C-alpha cells in the first residue's frame, strides 16, 4: 500500500513516555495492538518528519493538489 493511498481502516493513536525513558507510539485498531518504542532522539527525528510532512500537506492544500480549499 502506498503512503498516499486512502484507506477505510481506522485506529487509535497514543503517544507518551515510558518508565524506561523511551517514547512510545501506541497504535490500536481492529484486532491490532502495536506498541512502538523509540529513544528520545529517534522520537525527535520522527517529530521533525511529521512537521515537514504537515507543511508539505499545507502547501499542497493551498495549491489545490489533492487537498480541499477552505472557504
Amino acid at each position: 500500500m502506498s503512503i498516499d493511498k486512502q484507506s477505510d481502516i481506522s485506529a487509535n493513536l497514543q503517544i507518551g513516555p515510558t518508565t524506561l525513558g523511551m517514547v512510545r507510539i501506541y497504535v490500536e485498531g481492529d484486532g491490532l495492538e502495536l506498541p512502538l518504542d523509540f529513544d528520545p532522539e529517534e522520537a525527535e527525528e520522527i517529530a521533525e518528519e511529521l512537521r515537514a510532512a504537515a507543511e508539505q500537506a499545507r502547501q499542497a492544500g493551498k495549491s489545490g493538489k489533492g487537498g480541499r480549499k477552505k472557504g
Side-chain angles (χ1 to χ4, degrees):
M1 173 188 280
S2 169
I3 198 164
D4 196 28
K5 184 177 180 213
Q6 287 189 319
S7 171
D8 291 333
I9 298 171
S10 63
N12 295 313
L13 178 69
Q14 297 178 19
I15 302 170
T18 70
T19 57
L20 299 176
M22 302 292 280
V23 176
R24 176 165 291 169
I25 297 176
Y26 185 79
V27 181
E28 181 181 23
D30 292 330
L32 172 74
E33 293 182 19
L34 186 60
L36 303 167
D37 291 347
F38 302 92
D39 64 44
E41 290 77 19
E42 289 174 312
E44 288 174 343
E45 289 177 18
I46 292 168
E48 289 173 12
E49 290 179 29
L50 280 167
R51 284 187 201 98
E55 182 57 31
Q56 290 174 355
R58 192 174 289 115
Q59 294 303 318
K62 286 180 182 177
S63 66
K65 295 179 184 174
R68 271 188 6 207
K69 289 186 178 181
K70 295 182 180 177

